[in-house]
Amino acid sequence: MTAVDKPRNKMLELKERRGPVSSALLESVRQNNAVKSAIKKSLAGGAMTVPEIAEASGMPTKTILWTVTAMRKYGSVVEDSTDGSYVRYALVAKDPR
Amino acid sequence: MIEQRIDIDALVVGAGIAGLQSALDLADRGYSVLLVEREASIGGKMIALSKVFPTMDCASCITTPRMSSAAHHDNITTWTYTDVDSITPDGAAFTAKLTRKARYVDEDLCIGCRLCEYACPVELPHEFEGNMGARRAAYIPFGTAIPQKALIDIDGCVYCGKCEKACPTDAIDFGQKPVSVTVHARSVVIATGFETTPLDAKKEYQGGVAANVISALDMERLLSPNGPYGRVLRPSDGKIPDNVAYVQCAGSRDETLGVPYCSRVCCMYAIKQTMLLSGSLPLADITVYYMDIRAFGKGYEQFYQTARSMGINFVKAKVARIEEEPNGDLKLRVEIIEEDGRVSEMAHDLVVLSVGLKPGDDPRRFIGVDLDQYGFVASPEPKLDATLTSMPGVAAAGTAIGPKDIVDSIMEASAAATKVATYLGPPPNSPQPADDGVQIDIREIEAGDALAVAGHSEVLRG
């Protein structure tokens, strides 16, 4: 394998060809990480519904639901129980990823 | 860009249920088929559905065996993530220019373990889930995708290199480039499918603005066991809805949208969804606002009557306007047609727009077939041979021709395959008639006649 063929070099070459990562994308990654942290902080005290997490974190319910959905898909949050019209979500004991 | 060239009997454009069926029928007869799909998985729209009407069969259970058969058929080459740039007549055949887009993952090395996906730090709205769920920039399209191979959405990539480090087979390849392929095909089947009319087409319904106004395809994902939330929740706040409304003809039979035709499937998919919803949400009130219920197929009227008997509230009415309340609930201004035409305001916590069907692609972008005034592929003999196109050697099937349900799409796909097979003549290496074979004119045989030929004896029963 030559130096050019190394995966890291190929990635950097592609990055150079396509230009820098957009600031909008970097900002959305930062925001998503912030929402995840807020959700984890809220759920550290026990299972909560989406409106409860939103109230505790001061973030919109729609954003919380989308992020909780992502966290559930990738294994860091699970459904705990239902509370009237809402589902309670809980952190998994050990985040596998 | 790298260039390749291949020869094939039939090029099938689109790997939804119609394209899959045409490809399988042709391949089973011995023709070599190239099945191309612009998305990263075959399966089309059907693989995203929860169940199918009126049998209530699991859509995935019907689609995945066909997807798998096509992907593993000796006579079918399946290319996903491939654009058709042009198909031009070339003597009695066709020259097609295709572009195989870069997945940035070596398909031969990828084992579908998803470790790249778990390592990726970028989460983006997942189109397959109507953007209600998330995927990562490195991802496998969905659980039953074929091929089960990852790809990298390079527009969402931050070049962190975590996918490369996580991959156990060194399949990540940022050096991949699009590959231009020239295909010499003896025939073509156009099966480019449909798209739904935009959710925000009718501004007065607040689609795309109010979070709890969703499309029927979104509801298919919510009803699917592997959907984004794993259950039916409304997108604004995760509430389990208890008062759901369907607005029929929210993208069809409307001159202002350029869609004056009936999309043929909206009444039935709405009825199916209300029945599924009444199972998922037994305490919910479900109302369907409709102009007419068009339940025209075998068993469809009974299906409709079953929904009524289950307590689904069908109201003959026209919805004029939808307004969003601060808590995400929705206020519908409705003209009740079946009573005295009075206008009422109805409250619901989730509204599903029964959006219509329009062409999934503009085939004129890559081939010179005639289209009808709405952009569907036009047959010169629409009554006698719907799969015919204006170009010899080119057939069309499924919703590329016009709105229709899955049953009709599959039948039409088989008809298109038969049409193409007739055009192609006997497949290469097809078995020759046995030397002792006796030629029989089937037209001379009456039903029930006893037939004894060359040592074989059978009875044709009427």
Side-chain angles (χ1 to χ4, degrees):
Chain A
M1 186 178 281
T2 66
V4 177
D5 290 338
K6 282 185 179 171
R8 194 90 193 155
N9 292 347
K10 285 182 180 177
M11 188 182 76
L12 294 175
E13 187 191 302
L14 179 66
K15 184 181 178 184
E16 197 171 299
R17 198 168 69 242
R18 290 181 53 87
V21 177
S22 75
S23 53
L25 176 61
L26 292 172
E27 180 56 26
S28 80
V29 173
R30 268 193 290 271
Q31 278 186 5
N32 191 43
N33 288 339
V35 177
K36 276 199 228 178
S37 297
I39 291 170
K40 283 181 182 174
K41 192 175 163 190
S42 299
L43 295 182
M48 294 173 90
T49 65
V50 166
E52 286 168 350
I53 302 169
E55 193 176 345
S57 63
M59 292 178 176
T61 51
K62 189 180 172 188
T63 306
I64 296 294
L65 175 63
W66 190 86
T67 312
V68 163
T69 300
M71 293 170 77
R72 180 176 163 273
K73 176 177 179 179
Y74 290 109
S76 51
V77 160
V78 290
E79 266 192 34
D80 180 78
S81 56
T82 53
D83 177 17
S85 293
Y86 291 92
V87 178
R88 284 186 180 279
Y89 295 96
L91 287 175
V92 294
K94 184 171 181 288
D95 188 341
R97 293 152 194 130
Chain B
M1 191 176 285
I2 304 157
E3 296 227 352
Q4 292 178 349
R5 182 184 167 89
I6 64 167
D7 294 308
I8 213 87
D9 289 326
L11 171 64
V12 178
V13 183
I17 192 63
L20 288 167
Q21 188 65 44
S22 286
L24 284 167
D25 283 1
L26 284 164
D28 285 346
R29 293 176 193 200
Y31 299 102
S32 57
V33 178
L34 175 61
L35 177 62
V36 296
E37 168 58 49
R38 66 182 171 187
E39 302 295 338
S41 169
I42 59 175
K45 294 282 189 297
M46 187 176 169
I47 193 64
L49 305 182
S50 53
K51 295 193 176 188
V52 294
F53 62 77
T55 54
M56 289 298 204
D57 291 317
C58 156
S60 189
C61 306
I62 298 172
T63 320
T64 44
R66 277 185 165 73
M67 291 163 66
S68 184
S69 295
H72 296 104
H73 203 294
D74 286 343
N75 290 339
I76 300 178
T77 303
T78 304
W79 284 354
T80 54
Y81 218 45
T82 299
D83 285 334
V84 177
D85 302 321
S86 67
I87 302 175
T88 49
D90 181 5
F94 301 89
T95 297
K97 301 277 188 188
L98 314 180
T99 303
R100 301 194 69 187
K101 295 176 278 190
R103 292 177 86 105
Y104 301 101
V105 172
D106 187 326
E107 282 190 60
D108 293 332
L109 295 176
C110 178
I111 56 172
C113 65
R114 296 179 71 191
L115 289 177
C116 57
E117 185 171 354
Y118 292 127
C120 179
V122 183
E123 284 173 354
L124 302 162
H126 196 175
E127 304 84 350
F128 184 76
E129 304 289 9
N131 296 331
M132 294 179 289
R135 64 165 171 82
R136 291 188 172 159
Y139 68 110
I140 286 180
F142 47 89
T144 52
I146 293 180
Q148 273 287 304
K149 307 286 182 185
L151 72 156
I152 294 171
D153 173 0
I154 207 67
D155 291 330
C157 180
V158 293
Y159 306 104
C160 64
K162 289 184 177 175
C163 53
E164 282 179 337
K165 286 180 191 149
C167 181
T169 60
D170 294 330
I172 307 295
D173 182 4
F174 284 103
Q176 270 191 3
K177 292 184 171 63
V179 178
S180 178
V181 187
T182 301
V183 175
H184 187 253
R186 295 172 60 213
S187 63
V188 176
V189 178
I190 302 171
T192 44
F194 72 92
E195 288 296 336
T196 53
T197 51
L199 186 62
D200 62 354
K202 289 179 79 70
K203 303 297 178 200
E204 60 271 34
Y205 288 170
Q206 298 290 309
V209 178
N212 296 327
V213 175
I214 64 172
S215 76
L217 270 184
D218 295 338
M219 180 54 87
E220 290 289 341
R221 294 310 304 151
L222 293 184
L223 287 164
S224 189
N226 57 358
Y229 309 138
R231 56 166 67 226
V232 180
L233 302 176
R234 67 178 196 175
S236 73
D237 58 1
K239 183 188 175 200
I240 300 168
D242 56 22
N243 193 348
V244 183
Y246 277 75
V247 179
Q248 297 304 108
C249 300
S252 309
R253 302 174 68 192
D254 192 333
E255 289 277 5
T256 63
L257 302 179
V259 187
Y261 53 84
C262 168
S263 290
R264 293 175 49 128
V265 293
C266 317
C267 287
M268 294 308 297
Y269 72 56
I271 294 168
K272 173 198 73 177
Q273 290 187 0
T274 60
M275 291 166 81
L276 293 171
L277 271 176
S278 69
S280 303
L281 310 170
L283 300 178
D285 292 323
I286 304 168
T287 306
V288 180
Y289 297 106
Y290 70 96
M291 289 200 285
D292 309 285
I293 291 294
R294 296 184 166 178
F296 56 87
K298 181 183 170 189
Y300 290 8
E301 178 64 19
Q302 293 92 319
F303 194 66
Y304 170 43
Q305 294 304 335
T306 302
R308 292 187 79 104
S309 68
M310 288 170 69
I312 310 301
N313 187 22
F314 287 85
V315 179
K316 191 171 177 66
K318 187 68 187 161
V319 176
R321 193 170 67 225
I322 299 174
E323 288 173 9
E324 186 182 26
E325 303 280 354
N327 65 354
D329 287 352
L330 300 149
K331 196 166 68 182
L332 276 64
R333 194 170 171 81
V334 181
E335 183 188 355
I336 312 286
I337 300 169
E338 65 188 352
E339 294 176 7
D340 52 2
R342 68 191 156 81
V343 175
S344 293
E345 286 202 340
M346 317 297 282
H348 296 277
D349 55 10
L350 181 66
V351 170
V352 183
L353 300 184
S354 289
V355 289
L357 272 54
K358 62 188 190 68
D361 198 355
D362 176 7
R364 291 297 293 263
R365 189 177 55 74
F366 57 84
I367 193 167
V369 293
D370 288 347
L371 305 181
D372 68 16
Q373 60 186 310
Y374 308 116
F376 295 106
V377 177
S379 167
E381 296 283 357
K383 292 285 182 198
L384 298 174
D385 193 345
T387 65
L388 212 59
T389 73
S390 57
M391 292 176 74
V394 180
T399 46
I401 299 175
K404 60 182 59 72
D405 63 22
I406 290 163
V407 177
D408 287 354
S409 288
I410 292 172
M411 279 196 297
E412 216 168 62
S414 289
T418 302
K419 186 63 60 184
V420 166
T422 306
Y423 174 82
L424 290 171
N429 306 320
S430 60
Q432 298 299 308
D435 289 343
D436 61 349
V438 178
Q439 298 294 317
I440 303 165
D441 188 342
I442 197 75
R443 289 168 300 187
E444 293 176 0
I445 301 171
E446 297 291 330
D449 280 357
L451 183 67
V453 182
H456 301 281
S457 180
E458 56 185 299
V459 177
L460 303 180
R461 302 193 184 280

